[in-house]
Structures are given as structure tokens and as C-alpha cells.
Amino acid sequence: MAEKKLIVEREPREYNGKTYYNYLVKGVIRGKEVKAALAPTDNGGFTLLDIVYNDDTCAELTVTPYEITDEKTKKTVKGVTFGVKNVDENGEIYECKVKPFRSSDRTLLEMLLKQTA
């Protein structure tokens, strides 16, 4: 069975006469509709997100596992990094790293990912 992909929706909002965007992964957990908010990893990331989304309202969530071992303590830390990805009509891939906006968003995202596995 193929793994289901999570989609990151780009929703516009107005503030002081300017248009800004919220980046949300939506889903249902135990019958409750939820939204996990994402943000770029730095301020320059908003420009990258504009490039990735172009005129689209949706992009694919990417999940990249990592593993780091401390040479002194030999402890290994495992985790994942997140990104959004879009492919244009020529097959060119555009991607930007993102992070959960709050710790509760990280928890919701982890729950949603478990459902898609």
C-alpha cells in the first residue's frame, strides 16, 4: 500500500492592508478536525515559500529523517525535518524547509503522520 502524502495548504489573510499566508496541514484525529501550523525555519523562508507555491494553494509535506551521534557521549539523537515541495510543469522541484509553529503543532503533525503510515 502506498504511503498517503500530507498536503500543506496556503491560506491568505489580510493584516494592515497587506496579504500574508498561513501554512496548514489539515486532518482528522479521533473524529476531531485539526490544523497544524507550519512556518519557515527563518525570516528569509517566506520568500522561498512564495517561490515554492508560486500561484498554487497546496504543496506536498516532505519528511526527512536524521540521526546525529555525539562523538564524546556516543548518544544518538534521532528526529525528522520538514519541508514543503512543489514540482512545476517542466518537472523542476522547488522545496523549502519548514518547522511546526508551536510545540502543539508538532504533536498534531506527528499524530497526522502516524495515520498516513
mmCIF file of all heavy atoms in Angstrom, residues 23-42:
data_model
loop_
_atom_site.group_PDB
_atom_site.id
_atom_site.type_symbol
_atom_site.label_atom_id
_atom_site.label_comp_id
_atom_site.label_asym_id
_atom_site.label_seq_id
_atom_site.Cartn_x
_atom_site.Cartn_y
_atom_site.Cartn_z
ATOM 1 N N TYR A 23 0.353 28.578 6.703
ATOM 2 C CA TYR A 23 0.667 27.292 6.083
ATOM 3 C C TYR A 23 0.173 26.207 7.022
ATOM 4 O O TYR A 23 0.670 26.090 8.148
ATOM 5 C CB TYR A 23 2.170 27.198 5.814
ATOM 6 C CG TYR A 23 2.610 28.291 4.863
ATOM 7 C CD1 TYR A 23 3.038 29.526 5.331
ATOM 8 C CD2 TYR A 23 2.536 28.097 3.491
ATOM 9 C CE1 TYR A 23 3.398 30.541 4.456
ATOM 10 C CE2 TYR A 23 2.902 29.096 2.611
ATOM 11 C CZ TYR A 23 3.331 30.317 3.102
ATOM 12 O OH TYR A 23 3.673 31.311 2.226
ATOM 13 N N LEU A 24 -0.822 25.428 6.566
ATOM 14 C CA LEU A 24 -1.527 24.498 7.448
ATOM 15 C C LEU A 24 -1.618 23.096 6.869
ATOM 16 O O LEU A 24 -1.873 22.925 5.672
ATOM 17 C CB LEU A 24 -2.951 25.005 7.699
ATOM 18 C CG LEU A 24 -3.085 26.427 8.238
ATOM 19 C CD1 LEU A 24 -4.521 26.886 8.151
ATOM 20 C CD2 LEU A 24 -2.585 26.499 9.665
ATOM 21 N N VAL A 25 -1.423 22.113 7.740
ATOM 22 C CA VAL A 25 -1.724 20.720 7.413
ATOM 23 C C VAL A 25 -3.016 20.399 8.151
ATOM 24 O O VAL A 25 -3.086 20.540 9.373
ATOM 25 C CB VAL A 25 -0.599 19.767 7.869
ATOM 26 C CG1 VAL A 25 -0.978 18.323 7.581
ATOM 27 C CG2 VAL A 25 0.716 20.126 7.202
ATOM 28 N N LYS A 26 -4.035 20.012 7.396
ATOM 29 C CA LYS A 26 -5.337 19.736 7.990
ATOM 30 C C LYS A 26 -5.587 18.236 8.005
ATOM 31 O O LYS A 26 -5.103 17.509 7.148
ATOM 32 C CB LYS A 26 -6.443 20.434 7.200
ATOM 33 C CG LYS A 26 -6.317 21.941 7.198
ATOM 34 C CD LYS A 26 -7.394 22.567 6.342
ATOM 35 C CE LYS A 26 -7.249 24.080 6.301
ATOM 36 N NZ LYS A 26 -8.270 24.689 5.442
ATOM 37 N N GLY A 27 -6.346 17.798 9.009
ATOM 38 C CA GLY A 27 -6.691 16.394 9.091
ATOM 39 C C GLY A 27 -7.717 16.154 10.175
ATOM 40 O O GLY A 27 -8.235 17.098 10.785
ATOM 41 N N VAL A 28 -8.009 14.875 10.398
ATOM 42 C CA VAL A 28 -8.954 14.467 11.432
ATOM 43 C C VAL A 28 -8.260 13.460 12.328
ATOM 44 O O VAL A 28 -7.700 12.472 11.849
ATOM 45 C CB VAL A 28 -10.234 13.852 10.811
ATOM 46 C CG1 VAL A 28 -11.173 13.375 11.901
ATOM 47 C CG2 VAL A 28 -10.914 14.861 9.895
ATOM 48 N N ILE A 29 -8.280 13.728 13.627
ATOM 49 C CA ILE A 29 -7.704 12.823 14.626
ATOM 50 C C ILE A 29 -8.800 12.473 15.610
ATOM 51 O O ILE A 29 -9.369 13.365 16.249
ATOM 52 C CB ILE A 29 -6.508 13.471 15.353
ATOM 53 C CG1 ILE A 29 -5.401 13.838 14.354
ATOM 54 C CG2 ILE A 29 -5.970 12.533 16.424
ATOM 55 C CD1 ILE A 29 -4.289 14.678 14.955
ATOM 56 N N ARG A 30 -9.106 11.191 15.698
ATOM 57 C CA ARG A 30 -10.146 10.689 16.595
ATOM 58 C C ARG A 30 -11.461 11.449 16.443
ATOM 59 O O ARG A 30 -12.107 11.821 17.412
ATOM 60 C CB ARG A 30 -9.664 10.717 18.047
ATOM 61 C CG ARG A 30 -8.422 9.872 18.262
ATOM 62 C CD ARG A 30 -7.972 9.902 19.669
ATOM 63 N NE ARG A 30 -8.553 8.745 20.349
ATOM 64 C CZ ARG A 30 -8.353 8.465 21.618
ATOM 65 N NH1 ARG A 30 -7.586 9.240 22.345
ATOM 66 N NH2 ARG A 30 -8.900 7.404 22.160
ATOM 67 N N GLY A 31 -11.821 11.720 15.177
ATOM 68 C CA GLY A 31 -13.078 12.384 14.880
ATOM 69 C C GLY A 31 -13.056 13.899 15.025
ATOM 70 O O GLY A 31 -14.059 14.552 14.801
ATOM 71 N N LYS A 32 -11.919 14.478 15.392
ATOM 72 C CA LYS A 32 -11.830 15.927 15.584
ATOM 73 C C LYS A 32 -10.992 16.542 14.465
ATOM 74 O O LYS A 32 -9.873 16.108 14.209
ATOM 75 C CB LYS A 32 -11.186 16.231 16.939
ATOM 76 C CG LYS A 32 -11.091 17.698 17.249
ATOM 77 C CD LYS A 32 -10.771 17.914 18.707
ATOM 78 C CE LYS A 32 -10.724 19.356 19.089
ATOM 79 N NZ LYS A 32 -11.980 20.055 18.987
ATOM 80 N N GLU A 33 -11.558 17.555 13.792
ATOM 81 C CA GLU A 33 -10.818 18.253 12.753
ATOM 82 C C GLU A 33 -9.719 19.099 13.392
ATOM 83 O O GLU A 33 -9.974 19.834 14.347
ATOM 84 C CB GLU A 33 -11.747 19.139 11.921
ATOM 85 C CG GLU A 33 -12.688 18.341 11.054
ATOM 86 C CD GLU A 33 -13.517 19.217 10.131
ATOM 87 O OE1 GLU A 33 -13.168 20.394 9.906
ATOM 88 O OE2 GLU A 33 -14.526 18.694 9.623
ATOM 89 N N VAL A 34 -8.489 18.970 12.857
ATOM 90 C CA VAL A 34 -7.347 19.697 13.415
ATOM 91 C C VAL A 34 -6.571 20.392 12.295
ATOM 92 O O VAL A 34 -6.674 20.024 11.125
ATOM 93 C CB VAL A 34 -6.395 18.757 14.191
ATOM 94 C CG1 VAL A 34 -7.094 18.157 15.397
ATOM 95 C CG2 VAL A 34 -5.831 17.673 13.304
ATOM 96 N N LYS A 35 -5.802 21.407 12.696
ATOM 97 C CA LYS A 35 -4.901 22.124 11.796
ATOM 98 C C LYS A 35 -3.563 22.265 12.504
ATOM 99 O O LYS A 35 -3.511 22.739 13.636
ATOM 100 C CB LYS A 35 -5.420 23.522 11.484
ATOM 101 C CG LYS A 35 -6.722 23.579 10.750
ATOM 102 C CD LYS A 35 -7.141 25.021 10.566
ATOM 103 C CE LYS A 35 -8.521 25.134 9.976
ATOM 104 N NZ LYS A 35 -8.939 26.537 9.837
ATOM 105 N N ALA A 36 -2.496 21.857 11.830
ATOM 106 C CA ALA A 36 -1.145 22.044 12.347
ATOM 107 C C ALA A 36 -0.490 23.154 11.523
ATOM 108 O O ALA A 36 -0.389 23.045 10.295
ATOM 109 C CB ALA A 36 -0.334 20.760 12.247
ATOM 110 N N ALA A 37 -0.087 24.231 12.192
ATOM 111 C CA ALA A 37 0.510 25.377 11.506
ATOM 112 C C ALA A 37 2.014 25.169 11.328
ATOM 113 O O ALA A 37 2.697 24.654 12.215
ATOM 114 C CB ALA A 37 0.257 26.653 12.304
ATOM 115 N N LEU A 38 2.510 25.579 10.157
ATOM 116 C CA LEU A 38 3.937 25.492 9.855
ATOM 117 C C LEU A 38 4.463 26.882 9.546
ATOM 118 O O LEU A 38 3.712 27.767 9.136
ATOM 119 C CB LEU A 38 4.172 24.579 8.653
ATOM 120 C CG LEU A 38 3.709 23.136 8.798
ATOM 121 C CD1 LEU A 38 3.839 22.409 7.482
ATOM 122 C CD2 LEU A 38 4.512 22.429 9.876
ATOM 123 N N ALA A 39 5.775 27.054 9.708
ATOM 124 C CA ALA A 39 6.433 28.322 9.419
ATOM 125 C C ALA A 39 7.800 28.013 8.818
ATOM 126 O O ALA A 39 8.362 26.942 9.063
ATOM 127 C CB ALA A 39 6.595 29.142 10.701
ATOM 128 N N PRO A 40 8.355 28.944 8.049
ATOM 129 C CA PRO A 40 9.715 28.712 7.539
ATOM 130 C C PRO A 40 10.707 28.696 8.693
ATOM 131 O O PRO A 40 10.420 29.215 9.772
ATOM 132 C CB PRO A 40 9.965 29.890 6.597
ATOM 133 C CG PRO A 40 9.001 30.939 7.018
ATOM 134 C CD PRO A 40 7.827 30.231 7.625
ATOM 135 N N THR A 41 11.867 28.106 8.452
ATOM 136 C CA THR A 41 12.856 27.994 9.518
ATOM 137 C C THR A 41 13.552 29.320 9.820
ATOM 138 O O THR A 41 14.186 29.456 10.851
ATOM 139 C CB THR A 41 13.910 26.923 9.182
ATOM 140 O OG1 THR A 41 14.489 27.229 7.914
ATOM 141 C CG2 THR A 41 13.284 25.538 9.139
ATOM 142 N N ASP A 42 13.454 30.297 8.911
ATOM 143 C CA ASP A 42 13.991 31.636 9.175
ATOM 144 C C ASP A 42 13.175 32.673 8.405
ATOM 145 O O ASP A 42 12.328 32.325 7.586
ATOM 146 C CB ASP A 42 15.482 31.727 8.824
ATOM 147 C CG ASP A 42 15.771 31.411 7.372
ATOM 148 O OD1 ASP A 42 14.991 31.839 6.490
ATOM 149 O OD2 ASP A 42 16.771 30.747 7.100
#
